[in-house]
Amino acid sequence: MSSVSLARPFAAAGFAAVFTGVLAVSALHVLPPTAAISPIRRTISEYAYYETGWVFNLGVLILAAGSLAVFAALAYAKLIRPASFASLGLLLWSAGLAAVVYFPKHDWSVGPSTHGTIHRMASLVAFLSLPLGALLVTVMWRRERRWRGSVWLTAIPALAALAFFSVIIGAYLLTPYTGPPWWDVIPLGFVERGLATFEVLTVLALGRWAWRAAAVPAPDDAPTPAS
């Protein structure tokens, strides 16, 4: 089996894992006791502090593993080089998700904590690195007519994710002028869930791209993978 033909098994595994992880976390929105958490005001990470927190942790780790499989599919499809800034962005996304599980968010009934601070930083790294890495891939292949559709299908959710991310950053930077804490100024739960949705759509778009690339032979004058 050639290296390119390995792209499809890894892409398929990535799809399966991403859907499984998303389904696990989504179920917590409708099943007790976490169904009582407001999806508009409260963050997803709060699910980790309930007795069903293991479902949240497992779902996020499965999503991280699925994202790694998509990364491998992209590499085997020769859409990215393993040692590149695009690859770094995709890897930091998976690493950030794993860190979010290992270092839970602040338990505000106790107060701020070191692991909560690490959790917040890991979240920022993950949410920012994936769309930036994906956009680097699209920039590299934007002139290839055969990938025009894949470029747009990847760029649109990546840009949407950055738009949601900018809402959080903007609220934080405007704190001195708004008065209340920044997380009360915006519907943080809604914004975070919108951000997470477009991050997942970006991963799925990259997986679809790798799947298609495994079946489309590269022309002789094709550019080298994204750096």
Side-chain angles (χ1 to χ4, degrees):
M1 181 179 290
S2 67
S3 61
V4 173
S5 62
L6 288 172
R8 284 203 161 185
F10 274 102
F15 282 136
V18 168
F19 280 118
T20 300
V22 169
L23 181 62
V25 176
S26 298
L28 296 175
H29 287 72
V30 296
L31 298 177
T34 49
I37 296 177
S38 170
I40 304 299
R41 305 301 311 184
R42 314 305 296 181
T43 64
I44 306 173
S45 298
E46 291 192 26
Y47 296 147
Y49 280 112
Y50 288 75
E51 57 263 36
T52 53
W54 65 271
V55 177
F56 168 80
N57 292 335
L58 182 61
V60 174
L61 289 176
I62 292 175
L63 173 58
S67 300
L68 282 177
V70 168
F71 163 77
L74 290 168
Y76 278 121
K78 301 186 184 305
L79 291 171
I80 61 173
R81 286 188 290 123
S84 65
F85 287 113
S87 296
L88 179 62
L90 304 181
L91 290 174
L92 284 176
W93 156 254
S94 292
L97 291 179
V100 162
V101 172
Y102 191 79
F103 300 99
K105 69 170 292 178
H106 296 305
D107 181 355
W108 289 111
S109 64
V110 177
S113 59
T114 300
H115 62 73
T117 300
I118 297 174
H119 174 96
R120 181 175 293 178
M121 296 305 299
S123 299
L124 291 174
V125 169
F127 284 140
L128 184 59
S129 62
L130 172 63
L132 290 180
L135 288 174
L136 285 175
V137 180
T138 64
V139 167
M140 177 61 197
W141 296 103
R142 69 188 185 282
R143 298 186 185 278
E144 282 286 300
R145 297 184 64 181
R146 61 194 171 119
W147 297 137
R148 191 165 296 168
S150 297
V151 164
W152 282 108
L153 284 174
T154 302
I156 289 173
L159 290 171
L162 289 177
F164 272 93
F165 187 86
S166 67
V167 173
I168 296 175
I169 298 302
Y172 176 79
L173 293 176
L174 291 175
T175 298
Y177 309 100
T178 55
W182 66 269
W183 54 86
D184 287 335
V185 174
I186 60 174
L188 182 57
F190 172 79
V191 173
E192 186 187 67
R193 284 165 176 78
L195 171 58
T197 297
F198 283 111
E199 299 272 349
V200 169
L201 289 176
T202 301
V203 174
L204 293 176
L206 289 170
R208 173 190 175 277
W209 194 348
W211 177 275
R212 293 193 65 233
V216 179
D220 294 336
D221 59 348
T224 56
S227 59

